[in-house]
Amino acid sequence: MASLVPCPHCGSRPKEEFTIKGAALARPAPDADPDSWFHYVYLRENPRGAYEEYWHHTAGCRRWLIVCRDTVTHQVNTSQDAAAAKGQAA
Amino acid sequence: MTSYRLPQGGLIDRGHPLSFTFDGKALQGVQGDSLASALLANGRRLVGRSFKYHRPRGILTSGAAEPNALMTIGSSGRTEPNTRATMQELYAGLEARSQNRWPSLAFDIGALNSLASPFLGAGFYYKTFMWPAPFWEKVYEPFIRKAAGLGRATHEADPDSYDKCWAHCDLLVVGSGPAGLAAALTAGRAGARVIVADEHAMAGGSLLSETAIIGGTPASAFAEACATELRSLPNVTLLTRTTVFGWYDGNVFGAVERVQRHIATLSPSRPVERLWRIVAKGTILATGAEERPLVFGGNDIPGVMMAGAMRTYLNRYAVAPGRTTAIFTANDSGYQLAADLEARGVRVSAIVDPRAAGGATYAGKARVLRDAVVTDAHGGRSLAAIDIRSGSRTDRLKVDALAMSGGFSPVVHLACHRGGRPVWSDEKAGFLPPANFGGLTPAGAARGIDGLAACLDDGARRGANLVATFGFTATPVAFGTVEGDVPVSAPAKTLWSIPGGKGKAFVDYQNDVHRKDLDLAVKEGYGHVELAKRYTTGGMATDQGKLSNVNAIGLLAEARGLSPGAVGTTTFRPFYTPVSFGALAGAHHGEHFQPVRRSPLHGWAARHGAVFVETGLWYRSAWFPRTGEKDWRESVAREVVNVRRNAGLCDVSMLGKIEICGPDAAEFLNRVYCNAFLKLPIGKARYGLMLREDGMIYDDGTTSRLEENRFLMTTTTAYAAGAMNHLEFCAQALWPDLDVRLASVTDQWAQMAIAGPKSRKILQAIIDEDIGDAAFPYLAAHEVSLFGGALHGRLFRISFSGELAYELAIPAAYGDSVAEALMATGRTEGLMPYGVEALSVLRIEKGHVTHNEINGTVVPADLGFGKMVSLAKPDFIGKAMLQREGLAAPDRPRLVGVVPLDPADTFRTGAHILAKNAAATLENDQGYVTSSAHSPHVGSTIGLALVKRGDERHGEEVVVWNGLNGEFTSARLCPPVFFDPSNEKLHA
């Protein structure tokens, strides 16, 4: 994994400051069918290449980020605030 | 002991003698010596015993690749095993001890292993220690552990401090030899931020062992001038004694600086080692090349040494290798050594060169034998003679030192740490760093460049090109003419092994792997380079085959009829050389690794005699023993009874406290809790259950509405941090459209529970407002004024014990004095402190759950909270998955109470429930006890349990089975509330 994670608020910071939650999946609508919920809660892709994940800058600004990293090269391609990704002000 | 120190020359200070000991014997070296050079100067050739055969071993190299001269340095907590004598600077009072010998280095019983060597070949462990299985633990493992021949770590604590830091630069230069210095000066003069790291004490690398003249200046003085200029540049940091040990993602390098490993009296204000993480835009890999040994019989006898190392001891440390020397070289570097030896008055009796036309420019006195090889070396603890084969005849020559050089392998390790593979070059007869891998730029000998002038030039050019890509205008530094530069010129055909030898020809010195072991590995089907490594152990242990791997690959290639490139290398991984645990831990040990969290009421609890218990990082008061109480149970029972009869005060400050504010705060809570929160009135508290998305309970606690848009949530102590992260995730990632703000206020408030029938009376004495049942009913939550308006706090009428109870929150700094004030006013009412043990008994008696029950496998209905869940709400975390069929299955384990039939009987938490008369089998398992305690109220052990259909089985006789102790206790299932089931006391 990348040694440094670019935080949109704090700049490039050591990965030890972050905690990772896992795949950045869209939460299904409350009334979505059971299969959608099952996929959201239990099923994960294991891609070779670009992968979007939720990262929390726990020991920094405490914002949740969506970090896109390459599972082959370990390169972090993009990193954005999770709220901003939904079109909301961070 | 004869001195081998030359009367003049070398980069040492003869006017500054240093005393040290080796295996307890006092010796003397001088300032500037390494431990290895000091031992050699004292004529100490035998410095260690080999790993497997316990053969006598001497110093082979002068650098990081040393496989033999591993020693234990220092004593007690400062003991450092496996220190390479070649890398250890000498200091006054240094204590060194040899390893892997018993009873002494000179007389070593383990050497008998040599006689058994036919049985200790490749794959020996695999073939021998296979059966019978019980022998593994009792016979084989102790034997292997005893025989494994490296130093022993101390069990004492390290008294020294270690440090960690980050550094950022444009250019990192790894290695300060000719190429590194040229690159660093070029980039430094251009204004780039440069860090130069070198593992040795002085900058200069091979220049320090050179006799060449650069631009009119001797090589070592040239190196010093370069280092002085680099130190004078404000944009350049020169780190000596610093090993760059790994290359990591994002162009981050790990390096360890040995700040005080060379000092007799340590300064307590500085670390002994410092771990650097260096973020570089670009990197010049100027790590040079490692000389390869030649594989002939007896090539490990003390006195046989690498030719380059011999040159270093001669020129840099002014140590003669012996009285009569021979040189066995497959390239021209050996002739330079011969010239230097002769110039210093050391006799060279022969140069043995397997090539037909090597060393054309050599004009010295030594006999040059071309087309010849050394087949065997002879001697025990010191070299006595060598056999030289030339054509069909073999002659024995008496020598006491032999230099060898089989060629040079670029040091490519760092370049391969991120997955790149080195590339074999027939022309250079070595593996070169992978091309274009991640922006690391090799320069000089590290990429196979041959000759001093060429390396200076290559470093300068590559440094200039690299910083130009970061926008610097750099001109490659030119250093003038180099006199005495003799390129190595690679041999036409690499000589992997010398045929015809009789003695053991070692490939890997540290692991005692000799040529026949590799042959055997190939023969037995383990010829793949990764398999051969495991089968023979070649390339393992502390040196990771720095000296041996390329020879081993060459031999495997020969045996398999392939090119070394086709055989390939094993995987290179950090660390380049061993890194101490101290450096990796840095300051993170003791309380800096595991900080202690003390509640604002810690002092109060301590003054009242609390016994503390570690709960995560917290120290919680467990119970408060009184004189005459014979054990903790007695104290706890007294505290429980007192709460039920009078009143008790308990520190609950460590519960997580989160303020939730904003116009959408109520809606937010409504979504994170499974029960309804929208209509919680201002000034009221409510118990809430938070679920995970899979429907299981995550955490519980009370949340109070302080104002229309301000709530205070409490979480359990253990989940305080996790709940905060979870709420932040919900607010930021799931519902950023909700206008809500979160703040952790756990540390801002001292919180105390005052529980018991007299709690109201005690509290009313310090609280200004009326807190009678009418004005302050069950679940009221208000700001209150204390001591006539002197202080404001928050009062919550909530109860974990089932008694009339309150929790009072006070700004943290005032907590201690308020607690003492309560103790003073409450004394006449019988107020006593109680700890978490009593708290636990009280809550079990009342059937309240904690994370003992909320263990990640339960849904609200399992704990009797089914009706709390508001499925009418459009959405909450866990709602969708909670409605799965299996989570409503009728035979799910559900909360139930359990009591022994005979009150004298007892059982423990974790014990399993069996139906009466059922055999103790997995199939018959009905559930397990989640919490248990001795209840003063019931007069026996009581328990809470998760049992299949437990809520429907009240009154059923069961057996509580403790499989660990083989205990069976007859018991009865019952309602989980043992005390005041109608809540009369609660609402009093």
Side-chain angles (χ1 to χ4, degrees):
Chain A
M1 187 47 223
S3 310
L4 296 163
V5 177
C7 171
H9 308 293
C10 310
S12 193
R13 301 296 306 166
K15 69 167 184 285
E16 291 80 5
E17 292 183 357
F18 296 81
T19 42
I20 185 167
K21 185 178 175 73
L25 303 175
R27 188 171 183 264
D31 56 354
D33 61 279
D35 272 0
S36 306
W37 274 101
F38 183 80
H39 277 75
Y40 172 70
V41 173
Y42 292 114
L43 300 187
R44 297 291 178 270
E45 297 299 323
N46 184 16
R48 183 181 164 81
Y51 195 36
E52 281 195 345
E53 288 164 320
Y54 282 121
W55 285 68
H56 188 219
H57 198 181
T58 316
C61 60
R62 296 202 64 92
R63 292 297 300 182
W64 279 92
L65 314 177
I66 295 180
V67 173
C68 180
R69 67 182 176 99
D70 192 302
T71 60
V72 179
T73 64
H74 300 183
Q75 195 80 30
V76 174
N77 299 321
T78 59
S79 154
Q80 65 176 140
D81 190 278
K86 280 199 152 190
Q88 299 287 331
Chain B
M1 190 70 60
T2 333
S3 174
Y4 285 79
R5 183 80 71 188
L6 297 167
Q8 61 228 350
L11 308 176
I12 53 169
D13 181 0
R14 288 180 179 77
H16 194 152
L18 300 172
S19 298
F20 69 103
T21 64
F22 177 60
D23 281 341
K25 185 165 164 46
L27 298 171
Q28 208 164 66
V30 296
Q31 186 73 41
D33 258 329
S34 69
L35 175 56
S37 71
L39 288 167
L40 288 170
N42 280 283
R44 283 281 174 163
R45 288 203 155 175
L46 173 64
V47 298
R49 289 276 174 173
S50 75
F51 185 78
K52 199 158 71 174
Y53 303 126
H54 290 248
R55 284 171 67 104
R57 288 283 165 84
I59 292 158
L60 194 64
T61 73
S62 58
E66 177 60 38
N68 289 343
L70 303 180
M71 298 178 184
T72 301
I73 305 289
S75 55
S76 59
R78 292 198 170 99
T79 303
E80 283 285 321
N82 307 330
T83 302
R84 289 152 298 164
T86 51
M87 296 300 288
Q88 175 64 50
E89 290 168 62
L90 194 68
Y91 56 81
L94 186 150
E95 295 171 37
R97 292 183 299 285
S98 58
Q99 300 178 165
N100 202 29
R101 80 289 189 269
W102 186 83
S104 76
L105 186 55
F107 178 75
D108 173 37
I109 289 199
L112 292 172
N113 275 4
S114 263
L115 304 178
S117 69
F119 309 105
L120 290 171
F124 160 70
Y125 294 139
Y126 304 111
K127 290 169 188 164
T128 312
F129 299 137
M130 286 175 62
W131 45 261
F135 270 44
W136 253 114
E137 228 174 279
K138 292 198 175 103
V139 182
Y140 298 146
E141 194 184 310
F143 172 76
I144 292 171
R145 287 202 185 282
K146 197 154 176 254
L150 287 169
R152 281 169 204 279
T154 175
H155 287 272
E156 291 178 53
D158 188 332
D160 297 322
S161 65
Y162 295 79
D163 197 10
K164 284 187 190 184
C165 63
W166 283 85
H168 297 253
C169 61
D170 295 311
L171 181 68
L172 170 67
V173 180
V174 186
S176 69
L181 285 178
L185 275 177
T186 298
R189 286 182 189 174
R193 287 181 308 157
V194 181
I195 294 177
V196 191
D198 193 287
E199 62 184 346
H200 288 280
M202 293 161 74
S206 63
L207 292 167
L208 303 175
S209 311
E210 262 298 337
T211 44
I213 309 287
I214 303 162
T217 310
S220 56
F222 168 83
E224 199 184 335
C226 290
T228 305
E229 184 183 341
L230 287 172
R231 285 201 174 92
S232 75
L233 294 173
N235 51 319
V236 176
T237 306
L238 174 59
L239 297 170
T240 53
R241 303 185 174 101
T242 304
T243 305
V244 179
F245 58 72
W247 183 28
Y248 300 93
D249 291 332
N251 233 21
V252 173
F253 290 81
V256 64
E257 181 186 4
R258 290 170 293 277
V259 183
Q260 298 198 84
R261 287 283 182 221
H262 60 292
I263 287 172
T265 311
L266 303 186
S267 157
S269 61
R270 300 169 70 210
V272 289
E273 292 183 14
R274 183 179 286 130
L275 188 86
W276 290 77
R277 276 177 288 177
I278 301 171
V279 188
K281 281 188 199 158
T283 306
I284 291 283
L285 183 77
T287 43
E290 197 72 65
E291 196 169 29
R292 289 196 292 268
L294 285 159
V295 183
F296 54 89
N299 62 348
D300 65 328
I301 294 169
V304 179
M305 189 185 274
M306 302 309 303
M310 194 179 279
R311 201 163 175 237
T312 296
Y313 290 116
L314 182 77
N315 292 336
R316 177 173 170 183
Y317 298 107
V319 176
R323 305 291 174 215
T324 313
T325 308
I327 299 168
F328 181 19
T329 183
N331 59 70
D332 284 356
S333 73
Y335 294 88
Q336 267 181 299
L337 168 64
D340 288 359
L341 284 167
E342 288 175 334
R344 299 294 205 105
V346 180
R347 188 168 160 248
V348 182
S349 35
I351 302 175
V352 183
D353 191 333
R355 301 171 300 171
T361 58
Y362 174 69
K365 282 183 272 181
R367 189 158 57 116
V368 178
L369 297 157
R370 297 195 172 86
D371 267 331
V373 293
V374 173
T375 54
D376 274 297
H378 302 282
R381 289 179 218 149
S382 186
L383 182 67
I386 54 172
D387 290 345
I388 302 170
R389 200 185 63 218
S390 180
S392 58
R393 58 177 292 183
T394 300
D395 292 313
R396 185 159 295 191
L397 183 69
K398 285 194 173 177
V399 291
D400 62 353
L402 173 68
M404 58 178 168
S405 179
F408 290 85
S409 306
V411 177
V412 300
H413 300 64
L414 281 177
C416 303
H417 280 173
R418 292 173 67 191
R421 291 277 179 177
V423 185
W424 175 257
S425 161
D426 273 328
E427 184 210 338
K428 306 280 187 190
F431 284 97
L432 301 182
N436 301 323
F437 191 83
L440 186 140
T441 307
R447 68 180 195 98
I449 300 291
D450 183 12
L452 179 51
C455 284
L456 285 167
D457 182 60
D458 191 52
R461 279 173 195 283
R462 297 203 141 218
N465 289 344
L466 193 53
V467 293
T469 61
F470 314 138
F472 294 93
T473 312
T475 317
V477 179
F479 299 101
T481 324
V482 179
E483 300 161 50
D485 178 14
V486 186
V488 166
S489 67
K493 186 177 178 298
T494 312
L495 197 62
W496 296 120
S497 70
I498 316 298
K502 295 185 184 72
K504 277 201 178 66
F506 284 90
V507 179
D508 185 320
Y509 289 76
Q510 188 166 101
N511 293 292
D512 266 354
V513 176
H514 54 98
R515 209 190 107 191
K516 285 181 181 162
D517 290 326
L518 288 162
D519 291 344
L520 191 64
V522 172
K523 220 178 288 171
E524 296 188 339
Y526 296 92
H528 186 282
V529 66
E530 295 281 10
L531 296 178
K533 172 174 178 172
R534 276 78 191 173
Y535 202 58
T536 64
T537 70
M540 294 191 180
T542 68
D543 71 350
Q544 288 287 299
K546 285 185 182 59
L547 218 54
S548 62
N549 278 350
V550 178
N551 275 343
I553 290 163
L555 289 165
L556 290 173
E558 253 178 17
R560 291 167 60 195
L562 299 169
S563 94
V567 170
T569 62
T570 52
T571 309
F572 291 86
R573 295 187 180 88
F575 308 135
Y576 174 65
T577 47
V579 177
S580 70
F581 282 111
L584 294 172
H588 295 112
H589 57 88
E591 287 198 0
H592 294 285
F593 174 71
Q594 192 178 0
V596 173
R597 292 185 83 178
R598 289 187 181 87
S599 139
L601 300 179
H602 190 90
W604 163 82
R607 279 193 299 280
H608 290 270
V611 172
F612 291 96
V613 60
E614 272 184 68
T615 313
L617 300 179
W618 288 104
Y619 274 61
R620 301 188 70 171
S621 32
W623 64 89
F624 294 79
R626 295 206 161 178
T627 318
E629 286 169 351
K630 64 181 191 302
D631 62 12
W632 67 277
R633 288 166 195 275
E634 206 176 311
S635 308
V636 170
R638 187 246 313 142
E639 289 170 18
V640 168
V641 169
N642 189 63
V643 168
R644 299 252 181 258
R645 241 177 240 159
N646 299 308
L649 198 164
C650 183
D651 179 9
V652 292
S653 304
M654 47 294 288
L655 288 180
K657 301 183 242 353
I658 300 168
E659 284 208 17
I660 299 159
C661 308
D664 294 322
E667 172 61 25
F668 178 74
L669 285 166
N670 212 40
R671 294 189 198 179
V672 296
Y673 278 130
C674 71
N675 46 326
F677 267 84
L678 268 184
K679 291 179 185 150
L680 178 66
I682 295 170
K684 277 283 185 186
R686 181 170 289 172
Y687 178 71
L689 274 181
M690 241 185 263
L691 307 188
R692 310 187 308 210
E693 261 326 350
D694 66 359
M696 304 295 170
I697 305 176
Y698 174 61
D699 198 33
D700 67 345
T702 57
T703 288
S704 308
R705 193 169 205 166
L706 304 174
E707 297 164 19
E708 174 67 22
N709 292 330
R710 176 183 293 267
F711 293 80
L712 178 75
M713 173 187 282
T714 63
T715 73
T716 58
T717 302
Y719 279 57
M724 185 68 190
N725 295 350
H726 171 66
L727 295 182
E728 283 172 332
F729 178 77
C730 295
Q732 297 169 24
L734 297 185
W735 305 305
D737 50 315
L738 295 184
D739 190 352
V740 59
R741 289 292 181 272
L742 307 164
S744 166
V745 295
T746 305
D747 292 330
Q748 275 67 29
W749 297 91
Q751 194 145 323
M752 50 204 98
I754 302 98
K758 295 181 183 169
S759 58
R760 180 182 291 135
K761 191 175 175 199
I762 294 165
L763 271 170
Q764 189 67 77
I766 65 163
I767 290 176
D768 303 335
E769 292 88 349
D770 174 16
I771 58 167
D773 191 52
F776 208 86
Y778 180 58
L779 292 178
H782 286 298
E783 187 171 294
V784 290
S785 159
L786 294 95
F787 309 107
L791 192 64
H792 290 269
R794 290 166 177 173
L795 188 68
F796 310 88
R797 187 164 163 198
I798 51 181
S799 173
F800 202 39
S801 56
E803 296 293 334
L804 167 69
Y806 301 82
E807 283 188 18
L808 178 63
I810 298 293
Y814 297 97
D816 190 282
S817 47
V818 171
E820 290 296 359
L822 278 171
M823 293 307 294
T825 60
R827 186 169 297 124
T828 51
E829 305 298 333
L831 181 68
M832 287 180 191
Y834 67 104
V836 288
E837 286 295 339
L839 185 76
S840 185
V841 174
L842 292 162
R843 71 98 189 163
I844 295 169
E845 286 183 340
K846 186 65 184 172
H848 284 313
V849 296
T850 64
H851 277 287
N852 278 24
E853 287 72 36
I854 304 174
N855 60 13
T857 70
V858 298
V859 295
D862 298 337
L863 301 182
F865 295 133
K867 284 186 181 144
M868 265 176 68
V869 179
S870 169
L871 288 175
K873 292 195 289 188
D875 190 11
F876 61 85
I877 298 282
K879 181 184 177 188
M881 296 299 266
L882 182 61
Q883 295 171 73
R884 285 178 290 170
E885 204 178 334
L887 298 186
D891 64 343
R892 281 186 64 79
R894 284 194 289 274
L895 187 71
V896 66
V898 53
V899 284
L901 291 187
D902 177 350
D905 273 353
T906 183
F907 51 76
R908 285 167 186 259
T909 302
H912 280 247
I913 307 287
L914 301 167
K916 194 180 171 186
N917 299 325
T921 64
L922 187 61
E923 293 72 34
N924 290 339
D925 185 22
Q926 299 288 299
Y928 51 93
V929 179
T930 52
S931 297
S932 65
H934 176 81
S935 163
H937 176 78
V938 177
S940 77
T941 292
I942 58 169
L944 299 177
L946 286 165
V947 177
K948 281 181 187 171
R949 296 184 295 104
D951 56 337
E952 299 164 16
R953 294 165 68 174
H954 295 172
E956 182 181 326
E957 211 177 302
V958 293
V959 172
V960 182
W961 168 49
N962 178 347
L964 293 178
N965 292 5
E967 292 165 2
F968 295 83
T969 309
S970 295
R972 184 168 39 243
L973 300 180
C974 60
V977 184
F978 299 87
F979 174 80
D980 187 26
S982 54
N983 286 336
E984 280 166 37
K985 298 197 73 172
L986 185 67
H987 292 287

